[in-house]
Amino acid sequence: MDIFSIIGTVDYGALLPELFLLGFALVVMLLEPFLPERYKPVNFYLTVFGLLAAAGGSLWLWNRAGVNFGGMATSDNFAVFFRLVFIAGTLLTVLVSKNYLASEKFANGEYYALLLFSTLGMMFMAGSLDLMVIFLGLEVMSIPLYILAGFRKADVRSNEAGMKYFLIGAFASSFFLYGIALVYGATGTTHLQEIYNQLPTLQGRGDFLIYAGAALLTVGFAFKVAAVPFHMWAPDVYEGAPTVVTAFMSAGPKAAGFAALLRTFALFLGDYKEAMVAVFWVLAVLTMTVGNVLALVQSNIKRMLAYSSIAHAGYVLVAVVAGGPDGVSAALFYLLAYTVMNIGAFAVVLAVEGKEGSNQIGDYRGLVNRHPYLAAAMTIFMLSLTGIPPTAGFVGKLYIFSAAVSANQIPLVVIAVLNSLVSVYYYLGVVVAMYMHPSPAAEKNQSFYSLPLMLVLALTVWGTLQLGIFPQALLRAASDSLVGLF
Amino acid sequence: MAAVPLDWYLILAGLLFAIGTVGVLVSRNAIVILMAIELMLNAVNLTFVAFSHYMGKNDGQVLVFLVMTVAAAEAAVGLAIILNIFRTRESVNIDDINLMKW
């Protein structure tokens, strides 16, 4: 590898979204200490503008794949699709954060800068063709998240969430890294395409190393996407972290983990497909079942949504097992739908937390009398998370299950459908509490919601219904994302 | 010069990694867990260098620099988080840090 040949081939156009995010993150971070108090909202507008610029850059790159850093990073449609999902997640989080930050008296510059850096890491994960770049992206994504989880410095729960996330995240990263080292030992490279080309020639020691390496990589990914049995951190971290941060990390980082996982396994471990499918089959069944069963007994809504996010990781793993163009595009569509509906649900949780100071599901009783719009929005998100038409969650699940059926994974689909039935109980439990139980305080509360929060609720409700009723455009985008991959 | 066979390096690295893993799992002190994680990362570095030397390529040794940088960033953030938890709880024993379960 000649260092000059690597530097010589930088295609700045293909890096446009990353450069925008990096630039705006640095500006926000460096500007923060010099801004007088009354100009602090500038950070918010800069962040929103940076994200919109990155979204524009990503859209411009659609069908315009460029390769960078000696083939280590790419901006193919797969990367563009995921970039847009990450930007959507971050943008929605930033919008709901504005008033939350003001009410919590957080220093907002570093908060926004950390969100942008984390998003940058996700983008590198989605656009990487090299295991080492995936690792670096993973760390650039995770390290800001550790800080964000513990952002309420005086709150012991937030501290605990930060520490648990950090220790378990770093532990998982070292497994992932050991996996990279063993794959490197087997093939002499960390580049995915070259690894793939080497696979048929491996035997003896190389064969053993690639199995061990793939197993360790799977452990690392499973930790990051919170797949059972590597999920123990998720409920605690989701519950303890500030609600805005929980919304952020339930969507983007999970999608980024799956982006890297899909690239690594579904596309490149061709010759070892059967062994990997068996592993992911077991992971998918465990993840769906444990996530759904434990969600049944939760009384805290953030914790319930944490187990629900574990269960949803299981549904995406069903798509990974299905594999092939259908499975991968189903996973892409589902991750987009999940990002929209889940951040919407967290926006409602945040609004209720702000109005009533509680996250217990019992306190959602009679919400329709106090906050009718919040209750209506929450109902749509809960129906979508359950997978009931005409919502995004239904189309996503339908697409995943049909991909799995055509890949002849009938038993897995049966298990997944049974799991969806279990999930009806706890999702609709929230709806029942909101609509059918008497409110502890009966008066109707016509309180004002902040403008950014209303905007997020409107966008996510619209997105959930749009993806559910007219999904064709995005389904096509999801399958166009695979251009050049198969 | 009698060259040390590759396997010995790999076994040493595997043992170090296993010691680190056991350290993370059994230790009760957050700082010791952090040290055990660093040990695991260094076991990985040893693996990279051994493979790289054995195959006569340099890139594995370059990767070690990346790992060291990431480990330093992780340690900085991790120590800050642990310091903060010590301020609020007067303890870094993970058995005391158990507000949230199940």
Side-chain angles (χ1 to χ4, degrees):
Chain A
M1 238 194 298
D2 178 10
I3 192 75
F4 293 105
S5 72
I6 295 173
I7 292 171
T9 57
V10 175
D11 170 4
Y12 290 101
L15 278 177
L16 209 55
E18 280 90 348
L19 290 174
F20 274 129
L21 276 198
L22 180 65
F24 277 92
L26 288 175
V27 167
V28 168
M29 195 174 67
L30 294 176
L31 208 58
E32 158 75 14
F34 303 106
L35 277 179
E37 199 55 44
R38 67 204 160 95
Y39 290 125
K40 292 285 186 203
V42 169
N43 289 325
F44 170 77
Y45 295 108
L46 277 177
T47 309
V48 171
F49 188 74
L51 285 165
L52 291 176
S58 304
L59 282 175
W60 178 74
L61 282 169
W62 185 257
N63 284 336
R64 220 183 278 242
V67 175
N68 259 318
F69 307 129
M72 287 184 188
T74 175
S75 64
D76 53 5
N77 285 353
F78 182 86
V80 171
F81 187 92
F82 270 108
R83 277 173 185 158
L84 291 171
V85 173
F86 304 148
I87 291 169
T90 311
L91 194 59
L92 293 171
T93 312
V94 168
L95 289 175
V96 287
S97 301
K98 188 165 188 279
N99 287 66
Y100 183 82
L101 293 188
S103 67
E104 294 279 332
K105 300 205 168 43
F106 280 174
N108 61 22
E110 58 249 43
Y111 174 84
Y112 291 128
L114 287 169
L115 282 184
L116 290 179
F117 281 128
S118 185
T119 313
L120 180 69
M122 295 175 206
M123 287 187 172
F124 271 114
M125 279 176 83
S128 104
L129 292 176
D130 190 291
L131 286 174
M132 211 57 205
V133 179
I134 293 181
F135 171 72
L136 288 178
L138 189 78
E139 291 299 317
V140 173
M141 170 187 91
S142 302
I143 290 175
L145 281 178
Y146 305 148
I147 308 173
L148 287 168
F151 213 75
R152 293 169 60 150
K153 280 192 284 187
D155 175 12
V156 281
R157 281 172 183 271
S158 179
N159 286 339
E160 183 177 331
M163 196 186 80
K164 280 183 174 161
Y165 197 21
F166 166 71
L167 289 177
I168 294 175
F171 187 53
S173 302
S174 49
F175 276 95
F176 188 76
L177 201 57
Y178 200 35
I180 299 179
L182 295 185
V183 171
Y184 173 76
T187 60
T189 175
T190 54
H191 192 276
L192 290 171
Q193 187 65 52
E194 288 167 28
I195 292 170
Y196 182 72
N197 295 341
Q198 295 247 3
L199 286 181
T201 66
L202 295 175
Q203 48 195 339
R205 187 215 294 271
D207 197 49
F208 170 73
L209 285 176
I210 204 93
Y211 270 113
L216 288 166
L217 289 177
T218 311
V219 172
F221 280 128
F223 265 113
K224 284 295 160 190
V225 302
V228 179
F230 308 104
H231 68 291
M232 298 80 71
W233 59 273
D236 291 354
V237 174
Y238 281 34
E239 184 188 345
T243 308
V244 282
V245 176
T246 311
F248 178 69
M249 67 187 165
S250 69
K254 195 176 281 272
F258 274 111
L261 185 149
L262 286 169
R263 241 201 234 281
T264 312
F265 291 121
L267 311 174
F268 284 105
L269 274 182
D271 281 20
Y272 292 78
K273 198 164 186 304
E274 276 170 33
M276 291 318 297
V277 164
V279 170
F280 284 122
W281 195 93
V282 174
L283 272 183
V285 170
L286 280 176
T287 308
M288 286 186 294
T289 312
V290 172
N292 277 319
V293 170
L294 287 179
L296 291 175
V297 295
Q298 301 304 323
S299 59
N300 181 308
I301 192 147
K302 279 167 84 179
R303 229 174 153 71
M304 185 275 266
L305 286 171
Y307 280 108
S308 118
S309 93
I310 293 171
H312 284 275
Y315 300 134
V316 182
L317 282 170
V318 171
V320 175
V321 171
D326 284 349
V328 176
S329 60
L332 260 58
F333 183 84
Y334 199 80
L335 287 167
L336 172 68
Y338 176 72
T339 299
V340 173
M341 63 198 181
N342 205 47
I343 290 189
F346 272 110
V348 176
V349 171
L350 189 71
V352 173
E353 184 188 278
K355 297 285 172 208
E356 325 222 319
S358 166
N359 282 321
Q360 296 302 311
I361 296 176
D363 294 315
Y364 281 68
R365 274 176 305 181
L367 192 74
V368 66
N369 298 323
R370 285 165 286 150
H371 305 290
Y373 299 117
L374 287 184
M378 192 62 159
T379 307
I380 290 173
F381 300 134
M382 289 296 135
L383 291 179
S384 182
L385 286 166
T386 321
I388 293 174
T391 55
F394 168 72
V395 179
K397 268 188 189 150
L398 182 71
Y399 203 27
I400 286 184
F401 294 167
S402 70
V405 167
S406 39
N408 240 341
Q409 295 286 353
I410 313 288
L412 188 60
V413 175
V414 172
I415 296 170
V417 171
L418 289 177
N419 265 294
S420 298
L421 283 179
V422 172
S423 76
V424 172
Y425 178 81
Y426 61 86
Y427 287 130
L428 292 194
V430 178
V431 178
V432 168
M434 288 190 303
Y435 281 86
M436 295 178 186
H437 288 179
S439 178
E443 79 279 17
K444 189 166 177 173
N445 186 342
Q446 293 286 10
S447 52
F448 174 76
Y449 309 114
S450 71
L451 193 64
L453 186 71
M454 300 244 289
L455 184 62
V456 168
L457 284 178
L459 281 175
T460 45
V461 166
W462 173 77
T464 307
L465 294 177
Q466 170 80 21
L467 288 175
I469 300 171
F470 305 108
Q472 294 87 346
L474 278 149
L475 283 175
R476 198 172 312 119
S479 58
D480 285 350
S481 306
L482 308 181
V483 170
L485 287 179
F486 284 97
Chain B
M1 189 182 84
V4 181
L6 175 66
D7 285 350
W8 291 24
Y9 286 110
L10 295 185
I11 290 166
L12 175 63
L15 277 177
L16 283 176
F17 194 85
I19 292 170
T21 312
V22 173
V24 170
L25 296 178
V26 303
S27 153
R28 301 288 92 188
N29 183 314
I31 306 270
V32 177
I33 295 179
L34 187 59
M35 287 161 61
I37 291 172
E38 295 291 321
L39 186 63
M40 293 166 75
L41 289 176
N42 283 320
V44 175
N45 285 346
L46 183 60
T47 315
F48 267 126
V49 173
F51 276 130
S52 161
H53 182 73
Y54 176 78
M55 291 187 284
K57 299 171 87 169
N58 287 334
D59 48 356
Q61 301 183 28
V62 176
L63 298 182
V64 171
F65 285 112
L66 301 181
V67 176
M68 283 160 63
T69 321
V70 166
E74 256 179 5
V77 167
L79 285 174
I81 290 172
I82 294 171
L83 194 65
N84 193 44
I85 212 162
F86 185 75
R87 282 203 186 121
T88 53
R89 319 250 341 203
E90 303 268 306
S91 165
V92 290
N93 187 327
I94 54 166
D95 288 334
D96 296 340
I97 303 167
N98 55 1
L99 282 174
M100 294 173 288
K101 266 185 193 159
W102 288 100

